[in-house]
Amino acid sequence: MARLANKVALITGAASGLGAECARAMAAEGAAVLLTDRDPAGQDVADAITAAGGRAAFAAHDVSSDQQWADAVRTCLARFGRLDILVNNAGISGGRHALADHDLEAWRQIMSINLDGVFLGLRHVGGVMAAQGSGSVINLSSILGKVGLANAAAYCASKGAVLMLTKAAAVEWAPLGIRVNSVHPGFIDTPMVQNALHQAENGNEMRDLLISAHPLGRFGVPREIADAVVFLASDEASFMAGAELVVDGGYTAQ
Ligand code: NAP
C-alpha cells in the first residue's frame, strides 16, 4: 500500500529544487498533489508527474499574498476534494547582506516570503484540516534557523521564526488532529544553492568551505529532504508534533 494513498497535498515553491522533488515523491507514494509556485515552470513538473501516472495539477501562487493563498486552497479543494498535507516550502535566500548595511526593503522581502508565507499557509489550511479532524503541515526551515551564518541575518531570522511558529501551531492544533513539524536541511544541491555560489565572487572556494562544514563531506541531494517530508506527512509519523527534523549531514552536530 502506498504510504500517502488517498491523501491530497499542497506544496508551495514546487517549480524547483526541494518542492519539485517533494511533489514527485508524494505523487509516487499515492498522493494527489497541487503544486504551486510564482514560477509557471511548476506546470511542467505537474505535467511530468501526470505523464508518469501520478495525480497532479499546478496553480500560480505567490505565498506572500493572502488573496492568492485563498485562491490556492480553493483550487485544491475544487480539484481534489480535500487537503491532508501542506508543505510550506517556498522560500528565497535573499542574497548576502552585511548586517550594518542591511537594506530594510530586502529584509522585509525575505520576511514576507519565508515567514509571512508560512504563517498565511497555516492560517488558510487550519479551518479545512480542523473540519476534517486531521492534517499534516511540514514547514521548511533550515539549519540556519538553528545556527547563524554571517551576512545572512534576515534568512536566519526568518527560518528561526519558522521553527517557533511550527511549535506554537503544533501545540495549538494537536488537539484538533493536525500535526505541524519543521524540517531543517543542511546545504542541498538545488538551484537556490547553485545560484548563490554562481553569484559569489569566490564561489568555488565557498563551495569547498561549505562542503567541509558537513561531516558527511558533501551537499545533500533533494531526494534526501523529500524522504523526510514524506515521512512526516505519512501515518508513520503519527506521534510527531512540533518536532525539528534535522537532515544536515552532521552540520549542526558539531
Ligand atoms: P529553489 O530551488 O530556489 O526553489 C524555491 C522555489 O520557490 C522556486 O521555484 C521559487 O521561485 C519559489 N518561490 C520563491 N518565492 C516564492 C513566492 N513568494 N511564492 C511562491 N513561490 C516562490 O530553492 P530550494 O533550495 O528548493 O529551497 C526550498 C526551501 O527549502 C526554501 O524554503 C529554502 O529556504 C529551504 N532550504 C533550502 C536549503 C538548500 O540548501 N537548498 C537548505 C535549507 C532550507 P523563483 O525561482 O521565482 O524564486
Side-chain angles (χ1 to χ4, degrees):
M1 174 95 162
R3 293 153 78 205
L4 302 178
N6 304 319
K7 294 193 192 288
V8 175
L10 191 163
I11 304 174
T12 68
S16 172
L18 304 184
E21 192 65 16
C22 286
R24 288 187 283 267
M26 289 192 163
E29 288 293 349
V33 184
L34 180 69
L35 298 89
T36 79
D37 204 295
R38 67 180 178 184
D39 180 346
Q43 183 69 59
D44 299 337
V45 182
D47 289 346
I49 291 172
T50 307
R55 293 176 70 206
F58 171 73
H61 175 205
D62 180 337
V63 296
S64 62
S65 160
D66 195 26
Q67 182 56 51
Q68 290 187 34
W69 263 109
D71 294 343
V73 171
R74 204 176 306 116
T75 300
C76 186
L77 295 176
R79 182 71 190 243
F80 297 122
R82 52 189 291 123
L83 210 183
D84 303 287
I85 301 159
L86 169 65
V87 185
N88 273 317
N89 166 78
I92 57 170
S93 75
R96 311 282 287 159
H97 301 270
L99 188 50
D101 300 324
H102 207 307
D103 178 65
L104 182 57
E105 276 315 301
W107 171 276
R108 286 185 171 143
Q109 194 206 14
I110 293 166
M111 289 297 169
S112 76
I113 296 173
N114 291 5
L115 177 57
D116 298 359
V118 175
F119 158 69
L120 290 172
L122 285 161
R123 191 152 69 86
H124 279 278
V125 304
V128 177
M129 290 182 173
Q132 289 174 178
S134 66
S136 173
V137 180
I138 298 111
N139 295 328
L140 264 293
S141 176
S142 171
I143 50 170
L144 300 180
K146 295 172 69 67
V147 297
L149 183 72
N151 301 311
Y155 186 82
C156 291
S158 71
K159 294 298 184 179
V162 167
L163 168 74
M164 282 313 301
L165 175 56
T166 300
K167 290 188 191 301
V171 171
E172 188 170 327
W173 286 356
L176 306 177
I178 307 169
R179 297 184 297 103
V180 188
N181 294 287
S182 56
V183 174
H184 301 260
F187 284 80
I188 313 297
D189 196 8
T190 69
M192 178 185 279
V193 169
Q194 289 155 8
N195 293 339
L197 291 175
H198 189 67
Q199 282 158 20
E201 254 173 52
N202 54 345
N204 285 339
E205 204 181 305
M206 259 181 72
R207 183 185 165 83
D208 291 346
L209 199 70
L210 287 171
I211 285 176
S212 71
H214 296 72
L216 283 178
R218 61 176 176 84
F219 286 157
V221 295
R223 184 67 202 212
E224 292 170 317
I225 304 305
D227 284 343
V229 172
V230 167
F231 165 67
L232 286 174
S234 77
D235 295 340
E236 292 157 23
S238 52
F239 202 49
M240 293 184 73
E244 309 161 26
L245 188 47
V246 174
V247 187
D248 70 349
Y251 187 109
T252 54
Q254 305 165 93

